[in-house]
Amino acid sequence: MSSRASRGPGADRATVVTSQKVRADRLGDYHLWQARANEAAREFEGFEGAEVYPPRTGDENEWVAVFRFSGIDHLTAWLNSPRRRELLAEGQGLFEAPPTQEVLHGGAPPEQVPEVVTAVISHDVKPGQEQGFLRWQAKALKAQEKSPGFMGSELFKPVEGVQERWVVVFRFDSREHLDDWLASDARKELLAEGRAYFASYDVRKVGSAFSGWFRFEEGAQGAAPPNWKQAMSVVLALYPTVMVLNLTVGAELDELGVPGYLGLFFSNVLSVSILTWLLMPLVNRALAFWLVPRRTRGHRVHLAGAAVVVLGYALFVAVFGLITR
């Protein structure tokens, strides 16, 4: 399976992948700063989503943030906005070096496969060597297709006025298969040949296909769960999270005299963190029989899963009703 950026329904989609090495002693400040950046991006026209991926072992505390917009003009407006420049200025002390970014213009959205690993490689192509680079990239793709676990590749051209680098994104079905390809003799030979066309390159790995909260551990194939199932599942985890935070952290903040708008911000940061790294993985595993598309083959499964979620709602409402009395 392979694909390239093309003119089609999603041809104007635009994504920016930002990599940033966070100082070990500023990790808490970074989480707060990144949450502000995510909220700021949401206010811009064309915003579709943002995800933040923690570092994998050996990645030197490199965090990856992905912002998706419906068009390149919308993404450019965000990248060049005074608000983003303010955020970058505020975050200077959080990072070991200035963050790097790659802009991906066009291309098809990745399939929702749970264990997929993405590599984002940017190239500084030498002037006048663009055609040679394209031929070399086609040769590299043929070699990749023979590598175990290869799932697809996309080539993104430079975006005028935004970035001058060529970016290649390719996906493998596991971290092991990706690392095997990156360390393979075939790739080493290709890199030696490619030096004639590019001056330098940079590799970043993301442990996802830029999916969201709904990742499964048993190789589920196909699309993500329907929106109504996703919404019901998130509410099942969100409601008790918000209630517990209101009864504990919220009460403490009120006693300390923290303004409501700041208290709400801290609560949002905590609730999103709890959902992302604790509760949603648990909910996904518990409701996999209902959420994983290939398992929901009949109406009984749809109804049974929905009934379980509704019973969960009722249980939480009853429990918190008793507590708050």
Side-chain angles (χ1 to χ4, degrees):
M1 178 184 69
S2 63
S3 59
R4 300 179 186 279
S6 60
R7 305 305 299 175
D12 198 41
R13 296 176 69 251
T15 301
V16 59
V17 181
T18 303
S19 301
Q20 41 219 1
K21 291 187 178 180
V22 181
R23 296 182 185 276
D25 60 341
R26 302 295 304 276
L27 192 56
D29 294 331
Y30 165 71
H31 286 312
L32 296 176
W33 177 86
Q34 187 65 62
R36 291 201 305 273
N38 293 353
E39 288 301 318
R42 294 178 193 278
E43 298 175 2
F44 282 73
E45 184 178 357
F47 175 83
E48 292 188 341
E51 296 110 37
V52 180
Y53 300 97
R56 292 294 184 100
T57 303
D59 282 354
E60 300 180 352
N61 209 25
E62 186 171 37
W63 291 70
V64 176
V66 178
F67 291 86
R68 293 177 283 106
F69 285 79
S70 60
I72 188 62
D73 291 340
H74 297 318
L75 174 61
T76 303
W78 156 243
L79 292 178
N80 297 332
S81 66
R83 178 59 181 139
R84 184 169 181 270
R85 287 197 292 269
E86 290 175 6
L87 286 163
L88 291 176
E90 292 173 11
Q92 282 183 349
L94 303 177
F95 309 116
E96 297 178 5
T100 61
Q101 69 180 35
E102 281 79 37
V103 173
L104 315 179
H105 181 202
E111 292 186 11
Q112 299 288 335
V113 182
E115 298 301 327
V116 69
V117 180
T118 303
V120 180
I121 304 183
S122 58
H123 304 77
D124 291 317
V125 177
K126 296 178 180 179
Q129 295 295 330
E130 291 80 5
Q131 292 304 313
F133 173 77
L134 289 172
R135 290 192 295 270
W136 173 83
Q137 184 58 42
K139 182 177 180 180
L141 176 59
K142 290 182 179 179
Q144 280 182 315
E145 289 173 341
K146 301 175 183 178
S147 186
F150 176 72
M151 300 185 66
S153 176
E154 292 177 274
L155 175 63
F156 297 87
K157 297 180 180 180
V159 181
E160 185 176 357
V162 180
Q163 74 169 21
E164 300 301 322
R165 295 185 297 272
W166 292 68
V167 181
V168 178
V169 175
F170 53 81
R171 303 177 181 92
F172 279 77
D173 63 0
S174 71
R175 183 61 175 258
E176 291 72 23
H177 283 150
L178 171 61
D179 289 341
D180 287 346
W181 162 249
L182 292 177
S184 66
D185 292 336
R187 184 169 183 272
K188 291 177 182 177
E189 293 176 3
L190 283 164
L191 287 176
E193 180 182 335
R195 290 294 185 182
Y197 310 113
F198 55 84
S200 64
Y201 71 94
D202 192 22
V203 180
R204 265 169 285 283
K205 305 172 191 176
V206 181
S208 171
F210 306 155
S211 57
W213 277 329
F214 293 87
R215 308 174 195 155
F216 301 97
E217 297 183 352
E218 300 183 9
Q221 303 291 331
N227 289 339
W228 64 275
K229 288 187 179 182
Q230 294 188 31
M232 288 184 70
S233 302
V234 171
V235 171
L236 182 64
L238 181 62
Y239 173 67
T241 302
V242 172
M243 286 299 298
V244 170
L245 288 176
N246 283 342
L247 294 172
T248 56
V249 177
E252 291 294 330
L253 293 176
D254 287 341
E255 290 184 7
L256 294 172
V258 176
Y261 63 92
L262 282 179
L264 181 60
F265 170 75
F266 292 136
S267 295
N268 285 340
V269 171
L270 288 172
S271 61
V272 170
S273 300
I274 291 169
L275 286 176
T276 300
W277 286 292
L278 178 61
L279 293 185
M280 285 311 299
L282 294 176
V283 170
N284 287 342
R285 285 196 292 271
L287 298 178
F289 76 95
W290 180 61
L291 289 171
V292 179
R294 66 180 175 86
R295 296 186 183 179
T296 53
R297 299 182 181 277
H299 293 296
R300 289 184 179 180
V301 177
H302 291 297
L303 292 174
V308 169
V309 175
V310 172
L311 287 174
Y313 294 163
L315 176 62
F316 285 133
V317 169
V319 169
F320 288 113
L322 293 173
I323 292 175
T324 54
R325 287 176 188 171

